Amino acid sequence: MTLYTSTVRTAPPAPRLWTKAGKSIGFAVGLPIALLIVWGIWGTLAPAKFFPGPLRIAEAFVDTWVGPIFVTDVLPSLARLAVAIVLAIAIGIAAGTLIGLTRWLRELLEPLLEFFRAIPPPVLIPVFVALLGVTDNMKIIVIVFGSLWPVLLNTVEGVRGTDSVMTETARSFSLTRSQRLFRLVLPAASPRIMAGVRQTLSVALIMMVISEMFYSSSGLGFRITFFQRNYLIAEMWSGIVLLGLVGVLLAVVFTIVERRVLRWYHGIKEVERA
C-alpha cells in the first residue's frame, strides 16, 4: 500500500486577513499621498517655474489629456506599445525556447546575442528610420528590438535550467516532444520567463517614448517633447505623470497575469515559508 501525504494549509483568521490587507493598502496609498502633501507645501512656500505644484499639474493634466489629444496621440501610442509587447514576448519565448533546447544553436548564437544586447537600442533608431521611414512599423520594430532581450535571455536560461532528472523521467514515460515542452520545460522555465517579461514591459515603455521623441509628429513622447520645447512646463509634467500611470497599469496587469501563470510556484513558496 502506498501512502500519500499532503500538506494541508489552513486559511488565516479573517481579522488577520483584513489587517494585512489594510496595511498593504495603507503602504500603497499612504506614501504617494504624503509625497503629494510635501510637494504641495514645497510648491507653495518656494514656487519654481520649472517645478509647478501638484494642483497646477493636475489642472494641466485634465486640460491637456482629457480631449482630442488623447485620441490622436495617446491611444495610437498605447496601441503601438501593446502590439510591440505582444511581439517581443512571443518572439522572445519562441526563440529562447528553441535556443535553450538546442545546444549547438545556443553555442553558435551566444556571441551574436551578447553583441546585439550590448548595443543601446536608441542608437539604432536612425538606422530603422533610414530603412523603414517614419512609420508606425518603424516605431513598433524599435520597441520590439529594445525590449526583446530580457524575455529572450531569461527564457534561454530557464529552459537550460530544466531539471535533468525530471527530463529523463518524462522520457521514460514516453512523453512526446510537445508534451515535454508544454508540460515540463515551459512550466519549469516560467518563473524566469515572467521575470524577463517584467523587465520587457519597463523597457518597452521607455522605447515607446524614445521612438516618438525625435522622428515623429504625434504620440505621447512627441507631445512631451513639444511641451518642453515650448516651455509649457505644467503640460510637460502632466505627460510625465501620464507615463507613470501607464507604467502602473502595466504593472497591475502583469501582477494579475503572473499570479495566474505562476500559481503553482507561489503555492510552493508559501508552503516552504510555513
Side-chain angles (χ1 to χ4, degrees), residues 116-157:
F116 279 108
R117 185 183 68 164
I119 298 177
V123 175
L124 296 178
I125 292 180
V127 177
F128 289 123
V129 171
L131 295 175
L132 303 173
V134 183
T135 62
D136 287 345
N137 291 335
M138 181 275 296
K139 298 172 187 175
I140 292 174
I141 291 176
V142 167
I143 300 172
V144 171
F145 182 83
S147 58
L148 171 68
W149 306 105
V151 64
L152 172 63
L153 298 176
N154 275 274
T155 301
V156 172
E157 293 303 319

Side-chain angles (χ1 to χ4, degrees), residues 92-98 101 154-156 158-160 162 177-194 261-262 264:
I93 293 177
T97 302
L98 179 62
L101 290 174
N154 275 274
T155 301
V156 172
V159 171
R160 285 182 59 187
T162 304
R177 288 187 177 181
S178 62
Q179 289 175 330
R180 292 200 301 268
L181 176 63
F182 291 104
R183 296 185 182 182
L184 173 60
V185 176
L186 289 180
S190 56
R192 294 293 298 268
I193 294 175
M194 295 306 293
V261 173
L262 299 181
W264 62 272

Side-chain angles (χ1 to χ4, degrees), residues 190-199 201 250-267 269:
S190 56
R192 294 293 298 268
I193 294 175
M194 295 306 293
V197 171
R198 181 188 292 273
Q199 299 175 32
L201 296 179
L250 289 176
V252 171
V253 173
F254 172 80
T255 301
I256 296 173
V257 174
E258 182 198 32
R259 291 200 171 274
R260 292 184 64 88
V261 173
L262 299 181
R263 185 182 304 171
W264 62 272
Y265 180 76
H266 293 299
K269 292 298 181 181

Side-chain angles (χ1 to χ4, degrees), residues 106-119 149:
R106 183 169 63 249
E107 294 176 352
L108 177 66
L109 295 180
E110 187 172 6
L112 191 63
L113 294 178
E114 293 296 331
F115 173 80
F116 279 108
R117 185 183 68 164
I119 298 177
W149 306 105

Side-chain angles (χ1 to χ4, degrees), residues 84-97 148 151:
I85 287 175
V86 171
L87 289 176
I89 293 174
I91 295 172
I93 293 177
T97 302
L148 171 68
V151 64

